[in-house]
Amino acid sequence: MKTDYDVIIVGAGSFGMSAGYYLAKSGASVLLIDAHDPPHHNGSHHGETRIFRTAYTMGAPYVALALRSGRLWSELAEAVRESATLAEHSEIFRQTGVLSIGPAGSRFLRSKRESCEAFGIPYEYISARDLTARWPGFSVPERMEGLYEPNSGILFSERIIRAYRMLAQKYGAELLIHTRTLRIEQGKRGNEVYTENGAYCANNVLVAAGAWSAEVVPELLGRIQPVRKPIGWFKAPAHRYGDGTFPAFVVNKGGDEEYYGIPDLDGSGLKVGRHDGGDILAPGRPIPPFGAYRQDEEHLAAFVRDFLPEAGGLLQGSVCLYENAPGERFMLGPLPGRPGVWFAGGGSGHGFKFSSGIGQTIGEWLTTGQSLTDVSAFRI
């Protein structure tokens, strides 16, 4: 393996693998370094699926980036279909519709509605009574209502990582797996990346190490916080909660308490997770498995009983990591005081749907010095 590259990417997960693909496709020489073998279960991209939606509560920059990402997911799907080696991963997106449920008149729903109207996103506003008549699997209090996005759905996250990996390598990117990055230093030839298996040099380095980014860039300690999140798959009758009869959903119970779910796609169960809360992890410590804490199942099961009453008990559980940033705000761009070192992170549990747009944006920055999408709202 050569040691000099245009760009070295530390962390080949959602943001990093996407950026590697777009950079390699543009002709840049790229080295991706990962502590594991992506896709894997030690980061934020496993668990098979993620929700894709474009109605957003966090303002116009996020909506614009989501819309761009949606177009790029369609382009990726086409590239996958055209690749004989990726035939088994052909479906990366499924249009299930996404239903957001929250207290009537809440900012949670109002801001989504405003973003739909501002950007021309198709939506329906639905009362609790009409919602439960349309999807009888839900039980929703009268004080709540819903916003339905018919064109949204789910992304198959692990298939996407595999697709990006294979396509990036097709365009010449190199991938170093099971290799921990120790530090990044400014040297005579540019930025030098020191790993367990040797040192590599590049003009630009992109750190996209997710929840563990602060281990590589100590300045991020306290700004990127690893949070352990339990996820459960619950037994559910297909005629109520199966694909084609039930949407993906987000439920805000009021304030910060928020849950999300994905219909039963293949008999593995109705997937449910909680967006708020979680257990803060110390860098370098092992991740406690699902069930290590009583509340892992307790909180999810209580939500299922209240809102999804025809679902049954837990079939399986897992944990993933959030890389929480202050205000759940993305952090994208050059790191202050680190010439040629860039960071893409702060996904905070809602970043995967944007990873196509973020990867292409980073690629544009590092090859042309500018981006087609204004992401100044995410600067570090």
Side-chain angles (χ1 to χ4, degrees):
M1 181 180 288
K2 68 178 184 178
T3 57
D4 294 333
Y5 298 86
D6 294 326
V7 183
I8 294 175
I9 300 174
V10 178
S14 308
F15 293 172
M17 196 70 86
S18 173
Y21 162 66
Y22 285 106
L23 281 161
K25 188 179 179 182
S26 74
S29 61
V30 179
L31 172 65
L32 294 128
I33 305 173
D34 200 272
H36 305 283
D37 186 1
H40 53 72
H41 287 237
N42 299 284
S44 304
H45 59 254
H46 64 283
E48 299 180 1
T49 51
R50 294 293 184 275
I51 294 175
F52 177 78
R53 55 193 172 85
T54 51
Y56 233 68
T57 60
M58 296 181 68
Y62 288 88
V63 181
L65 186 58
L67 290 168
R68 181 184 190 184
S69 298
R71 293 189 291 272
L72 293 173
W73 291 129
S74 297
E75 291 178 13
L76 179 64
E78 183 62 29
V80 167
R81 283 191 293 270
E82 291 174 353
S83 172
T85 57
L86 290 170
E88 61 182 294
H89 314 298
S90 59
E91 186 183 28
I92 65 167
F93 171 76
R94 186 175 298 176
Q95 186 176 329
T96 62
V98 176
L99 178 65
S100 296
I101 301 171
S106 63
R107 180 187 175 278
F108 171 77
L109 290 177
R110 187 176 65 251
S111 57
K112 288 176 183 285
R113 188 172 190 168
E114 289 169 354
S115 66
C116 287
E117 292 173 351
F119 285 84
I121 300 167
Y123 76 97
E124 299 175 45
Y125 226 67
I126 309 174
S127 69
R129 182 174 298 179
D130 290 342
L131 189 159
T132 52
R134 186 167 175 178
W135 296 287
F138 278 117
S139 175
V140 179
E142 286 289 330
R143 64 179 180 82
M144 304 183 89
E145 54 193 3
L147 184 146
Y148 180 60
E149 298 174 72
N151 295 338
S152 294
I154 57 172
L155 295 164
F156 292 91
S157 53
E158 293 175 51
R159 293 181 191 176
I160 286 169
I161 298 296
R162 291 189 189 97
Y164 274 148
R165 173 176 174 165
M166 296 179 75
L167 290 169
Q169 290 177 310
K170 171 187 171 183
Y171 285 110
E174 298 177 28
L175 175 63
L176 195 59
I177 62 173
H178 298 302
T179 301
R180 184 166 165 259
T181 297
L182 304 175
R183 65 188 186 278
I184 302 168
E185 294 182 358
Q186 185 73 33
K188 293 180 180 179
R189 296 179 300 158
N191 280 291
E192 297 172 351
V193 178
Y194 291 85
T195 77
E196 297 170 316
N197 298 323
Y200 306 87
C201 182
N203 294 325
N204 290 295
V205 175
L206 171 65
V207 177
W212 310 123
S213 293
E215 291 190 13
V216 181
V217 182
E219 302 97 295
L220 294 171
L221 190 64
R223 299 194 66 187
I224 295 295
Q225 196 168 61
V227 179
R228 172 187 175 274
K229 307 292 292 189
I231 308 160
W233 284 260
F234 290 81
K235 186 175 181 181
H239 74 283
R240 283 286 186 255
Y241 300 110
D243 178 32
T245 61
F246 203 70
F249 63 86
V250 181
V251 177
N252 181 279
K253 295 179 69 176
D256 293 330
E257 189 174 354
E258 192 167 298
Y259 296 81
Y260 62 88
I262 290 173
D264 185 345
L265 301 177
D266 54 9
S268 60
L270 177 69
K271 180 180 176 182
V272 176
R274 183 171 180 175
H275 181 63
D276 66 302
D279 303 293
I280 298 172
L281 298 180
R285 295 287 182 87
I287 305 168
F290 186 92
Y293 307 116
R294 185 180 64 184
Q295 63 266 28
D296 286 354
E297 180 178 353
E298 200 173 66
H299 292 172
L300 301 179
F303 170 79
V304 169
R305 286 194 301 271
D306 290 343
F307 284 83
L308 307 161
E310 294 188 47
L314 182 74
L315 292 172
Q316 61 173 319
S318 183
V319 295
C320 75
L321 294 177
Y322 277 17
E323 45 167 318
N324 281 358
E328 300 185 357
R329 176 180 167 272
F330 297 163
M331 297 169 64
L332 307 174
L335 279 167
R338 290 262 197 159
V341 180
W342 296 64
F343 178 63
S348 307
H350 66 116
F352 189 91
K353 68 178 72 66
F354 297 93
S355 55
S356 57
I358 287 171
Q360 190 185 57
T361 296
I362 292 288
E364 290 168 349
W365 268 341
L366 293 179
T367 54
T368 69
Q370 58 186 354
S371 169
L372 297 175
T373 299
D374 180 10
V375 290
S376 58
F378 313 130
R379 66 181 178 271
I380 302 167

